[in-house]
Amino acid sequence: MPVTGVKINKKTLELYTLEKEQLTAQIIPANATNKKVFWSSSNPYIAEVNEETGMVLAKSEGKADITVKTDDGNFTDKCNVTVTKKIYVTGVSLNKSSITLGVGNSEKLIATVQPSNATNQKVTWSSNSPGIASVDALGLVTAVSNGDAIITVTTDESSYTANCSVKCITVTNPVLTTSAATNISYTSATLNGNISNAGNPAYTERGFVYSSVVSVPTLNGSGCYNTTASGTGTGNYSKSVTGLDQDKTYYARAYVKTDMGVTYGNVVNFKTLKEVSNISQVRFKKVKNYTYVTEMTVDNTSGVELAGYYFGTSAGTSPYYEIPPGNHKLWYYYTEPGYEGWKDKGLYNFQKGRKYTFTCDDDGSYLTFYVTDDGPLKSSEPGIPYKPTTQVIKLEKSTLSGEKPKAIVN
């Protein structure tokens, strides 16, 4: 039966240098008597072919045509061969040399074959103790039980390896709370926290996150700030923060970082002080016959925030002025017939950052004036109450005479 044609099993072929590929020829018809063929290459320096077997050897970068020709009838077919240079693998590395995982948790390891443009990027993964830490074909490691294991990645070419030590533990989350802020001023405050359980694994960083725009601040969150605090273990810890805006509410909470992530305490809020430029009037409130009470707060750089005082048998108002810190005469206005007028009670040293309560009692014969220092606006010793101190001045009403200019202090 004569040959009527021939066909190569591949019309195109891509090879790396020094790679081999076996080509085969199909004689048409299949029952032809003479099935002998000859193989040749258009460029043996790029792709060489065995004349009798059709085995192709890639020798250098470039393109070549491999041709098969029948002995009977000289029928031909071609295969286009492209040869590229092979980049050999020289090693492999992992993104982490050790990790700690809580039982049931997973983490993906990333393998990098060297060089990065190596031709063969294939790798395989294995664990020396899959009952403790297993790994899948993509490098996802899962902690199965407590213990230690080694995860190994191996290159397909040349079997280079890299290892990662895995510690599998039962995780205990840290327990912490955020305490009220202290030492609050116009642009600073002290943030406070307490850690009652350091966790397992123990935390590696502790601090505070705070924000004036986010009510639940987070680490590295938009509009949030964070500050770290030194120390380890359990107990109280604090950190002063500065650069705050005046008269603004801030939200803060304690945090700790572990290998497992971030744990937060509860959220607390505080408001920075305000420098007051407009001083408000104050009325004394009648709490019983002849007893009147008011208060003022010294909490700004200029002095007293509220500084108007009025005494009398009926409520009223008086002129008001800003009182800077220091010794001042405190005047009051008395309205009982025969004693009406501005009266001078003497010097009193008003201090910045404190609250004062004023009380005046009139028993008919004497006017008793009380100034109580209620203590700092924010205690410097949280949990220790401040013991108020009271200055008492008792004036006989028969001595109260004369009109004074209607100014509160001088």
Side-chain angles (χ1 to χ4, degrees):
M1 180 67 67
V3 175
T4 59
V6 66
K7 185 177 181 181
I8 297 179
N9 64 317
K10 292 185 177 181
K11 299 300 291 183
T12 60
L13 183 61
E14 293 183 355
L15 295 174
Y16 294 108
T17 52
L18 302 183
E19 280 190 335
K20 293 182 179 181
E21 180 79 17
Q22 177 67 60
L23 295 178
T24 60
Q26 178 185 356
I27 300 296
I28 304 171
N31 60 348
T33 302
N34 184 358
K35 295 184 178 183
K36 188 173 182 179
V37 295
F38 303 96
W39 297 86
S40 61
S41 172
S42 63
N43 193 336
Y45 295 103
I46 292 174
E48 181 183 85
V49 64
N50 186 289
E51 182 182 15
E52 295 181 354
T53 65
M55 177 66 75
V56 179
L57 172 63
K59 300 187 71 176
S60 62
E61 292 181 279
K63 296 179 180 292
D65 292 331
I66 302 298
T67 301
V68 64
K69 183 172 70 172
T70 63
D71 182 53
D72 180 4
N74 293 326
F75 293 99
T76 62
D77 195 15
K78 290 183 180 180
C79 173
N80 303 120
V81 179
T82 300
V83 179
T84 55
K85 183 179 180 180
K86 182 174 183 178
I87 308 300
Y88 292 93
V89 173
T90 60
V92 65
S93 61
L94 288 172
N95 61 315
K96 292 186 177 181
S97 59
S98 64
I99 57 174
T100 300
L101 289 177
V103 173
N105 294 334
S106 299
E107 183 172 339
K108 182 177 174 57
L109 294 177
I110 300 173
T112 302
V113 175
Q114 287 93 31
S116 59
N117 63 339
T119 302
N120 187 349
Q121 294 283 327
K122 293 180 181 179
V123 296
T124 57
W125 298 86
S126 61
S127 170
N128 74 332
S129 186
I132 294 176
S134 62
V135 62
D136 67 10
L138 299 178
L140 183 66
V141 181
T142 300
V144 179
S145 62
N146 289 347
D148 298 310
I150 296 177
I151 302 300
T152 301
V153 62
T154 304
T155 61
D156 180 61
E157 179 186 317
S158 301
S159 297
Y160 291 103
T161 61
N163 296 322
C164 176
S165 300
V166 181
K167 176 182 269 312
C168 301
I169 62 173
T170 299
V171 174
T172 301
N173 289 326
V175 178
L176 66 159
T177 56
T178 313
S179 306
T182 55
N183 302 322
I184 301 170
S185 71
Y186 310 99
T187 59
S188 65
T190 299
L191 304 181
N192 304 292
N194 176 272
I195 300 172
S196 57
N197 187 326
N200 182 36
Y203 67 87
T204 56
E205 177 182 303
R206 67 182 186 179
F208 299 91
V209 289
Y210 59 99
S211 174
S212 62
V213 295
V214 180
S215 59
V216 184
T218 57
L219 197 62
N220 301 320
S222 176
C224 300
Y225 301 90
N226 68 280
T227 179
T228 58
S230 60
T232 58
T234 59
N236 297 324
Y237 71 102
S238 302
K239 185 63 182 287
S240 176
V241 291
T242 59
L244 306 180
D245 293 329
Q246 293 187 35
D247 192 31
K248 184 165 287 188
T249 298
Y250 282 86
Y251 304 90
R253 58 177 174 166
Y255 80 87
V256 294
K257 286 177 68 174
T258 72
D259 292 340
M260 304 293 103
V262 181
T263 300
Y264 296 97
N266 54 296
V267 177
V268 300
N269 64 76
F270 63 93
K271 189 173 184 179
T272 51
L273 302 183
K274 177 183 179 181
E275 286 194 41
V276 178
S277 57
N278 297 320
I279 307 302
S280 302
Q281 296 186 56
V282 172
R283 292 169 180 252
F284 273 77
K285 180 179 179 182
K286 186 174 181 179
V287 295
K288 62 181 181 179
N289 284 341
Y290 308 114
T291 300
Y292 307 88
V293 179
T294 190
E295 68 180 29
M296 74 175 183
T297 301
V298 184
D299 67 351
N300 56 84
T301 57
S302 299
V304 178
E305 178 179 356
L306 303 176
Y309 320 117
Y310 186 83
F311 298 164
T313 55
S314 61
T317 61
S318 68
Y320 56 93
Y321 297 87
E322 184 176 353
I323 302 179
N327 288 306
H328 303 283
K329 283 186 177 181
L330 179 63
W331 295 81
Y332 59 92
Y333 191 77
Y334 197 69
T335 58
E336 186 172 328
Y339 304 106
E340 185 174 0
W342 286 96
K343 311 303 177 183
D344 170 7
K345 70 154 286 292
L347 294 177
Y348 193 87
N349 183 21
F350 296 108
Q351 298 181 45
K352 177 179 173 181
R354 305 180 83 83
K355 176 181 174 183
Y356 299 90
T357 302
F358 301 85
T359 305
C360 177
D361 283 346
D362 181 358
D363 64 3
S365 298
Y366 289 91
L367 192 66
T368 305
F369 197 93
Y370 305 88
V371 181
T372 301
D373 179 353
D374 295 314
L377 297 179
K378 298 295 180 180
S379 174
S380 60
E381 299 177 283
I384 301 177
Y386 180 82
K387 184 177 180 181
T389 58
T390 302
Q391 177 178 334
V392 180
I393 296 180
K394 191 172 184 179
L395 303 175
E396 187 174 0
K397 292 174 67 174
S398 60
T399 65
L400 304 179
S401 62
E403 182 77 14
K404 290 291 184 179
K406 292 189 177 183
I408 301 302
V409 298
N410 63 1

